[in-house]
């Protein structure tokens, strides 16, 4: 009888050791996989870090550290191109307005830190407006084409002097005059400045 009890005890001990080893192996596998799948939320769903904005911001705003927060988002809800670290966003400009808590993606930024602007070196040019009322329709970050008349006395505008210029400011002028500050590639800046010095320009706003 004693031999039977001893055999039973040893068999149970082996099973316990086997279960303990399985738990240890499983825990080790989760530790290795953690950097790949992120964390788990309260429901057990895998999450990853994602960058959001901490307040409502206008198009063209240059992002700073105070504008950004990092939150855990379920991997199934993360959009393509979502930023996972603030270093990728600081110094970049918003291509459109955003609301507080909105996730940032690469498509919503231009001039991202660490990557050159696809337009090359940029310059800011002051442009007087042919129609001052247009200034009220624009805000920093908007894209516009700037058009000058082929003849100072002609009512029909000619070809654009600059295409896809990014508005950086809309200052007020005296006597009802209005102007824009626009950001254009260096290669276009001199021609635009020379044209704008001679006559106000019309604006075509990108949709």
């Amino acid at each position: 009888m004693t031999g039977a009890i001893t055999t039973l005890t040893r068999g149970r001990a082996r099973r316990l050791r086997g279960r303990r080893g399985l738990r240890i192996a499983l825990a080790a596998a989760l530790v290795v996989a953690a950097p790949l799948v992120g964390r788990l939320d309260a429901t057990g769903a895998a999450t990853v870090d994602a960058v959001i904005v901490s307040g409502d911001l206008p198009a063209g705003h240059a992002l700073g550290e105070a504008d950004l927060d990092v939150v855990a988002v379920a991997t199934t809800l993360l959009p393509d191109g979502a930023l996972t670290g603030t270093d990728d966003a600081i110094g970049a400009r918003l291509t459109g307005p955003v609301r507080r808590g909105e996730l940032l993606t690469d498509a919503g930024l231009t001039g991202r830190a660490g990557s050159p602007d696809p337009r090359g070196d940029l310059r800011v040019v002051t442009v007087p407006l042919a129609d001052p009322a247009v200034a009220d329709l624009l805000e920093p970050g908007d894209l516009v084409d700037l058009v000058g008349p082929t003849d100072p006395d002609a009512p029909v505008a000619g070809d654009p002097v600059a295409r896809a210029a990014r508005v950086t400011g809309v200052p007020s002028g005296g006597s009802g005059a209005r102007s824009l500050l626009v950001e254009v590639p260096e290669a276009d800046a001199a021609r635009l400045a020379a044209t704008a010095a001679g006559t106000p320009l019309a604006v075509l706003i990108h949709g």
Side-chain angles (χ1 to χ4, degrees):
M1 183 70 175
T2 302
I5 293 174
T6 301
T7 301
L8 179 60
T9 302
R10 289 175 179 173
R12 184 178 181 184
R14 282 196 298 270
R15 288 195 296 274
L16 289 174
R17 285 195 299 270
R19 292 173 183 172
R20 182 170 178 270
L22 180 60
R23 288 196 296 270
I24 293 173
L26 179 59
L30 289 174
V31 170
V32 172
L36 301 178
V37 300
R39 299 171 299 278
L40 301 180
D41 64 13
T43 66
T47 65
V48 294
D49 286 343
V51 180
I52 63 171
V53 291
S54 56
D56 296 349
L57 298 172
H61 179 79
L63 293 170
E65 188 173 355
D67 299 319
L68 307 169
D69 284 322
V70 176
V71 297
V73 177
T75 55
T76 55
L77 300 178
L78 200 68
D80 292 342
L83 303 187
T84 58
T86 57
D87 287 347
D88 292 331
I90 293 175
R93 291 184 181 275
L94 296 169
T95 59
V98 294
R99 301 301 299 270
R100 181 175 64 87
E102 188 170 333
L103 286 168
L104 289 179
T105 68
D106 54 2
L109 302 178
T110 183
R112 291 175 62 188
S115 62
D117 192 292
R119 294 177 295 166
D121 291 335
L122 303 175
R123 297 291 184 270
V124 175
V125 178
T126 302
V127 177
L129 296 175
D131 181 1
V134 173
D136 295 328
L137 305 176
L138 298 170
E139 60 183 17
D142 287 344
L143 295 179
V144 297
D145 293 343
L146 299 168
V147 182
T150 54
D151 185 302
D153 298 323
V156 180
D159 294 331
V161 181
R163 297 181 184 274
R166 189 176 302 279
V167 176
T168 62
V170 190
S172 298
S175 303
R178 297 296 299 272
S179 61
L180 292 180
L181 296 176
V182 296
E183 195 176 55
V184 296
E186 181 181 17
D188 299 335
R191 181 166 64 97
L192 175 60
T195 303
T199 181
L201 301 181
V203 173
L204 302 176
I205 304 173
H206 287 216

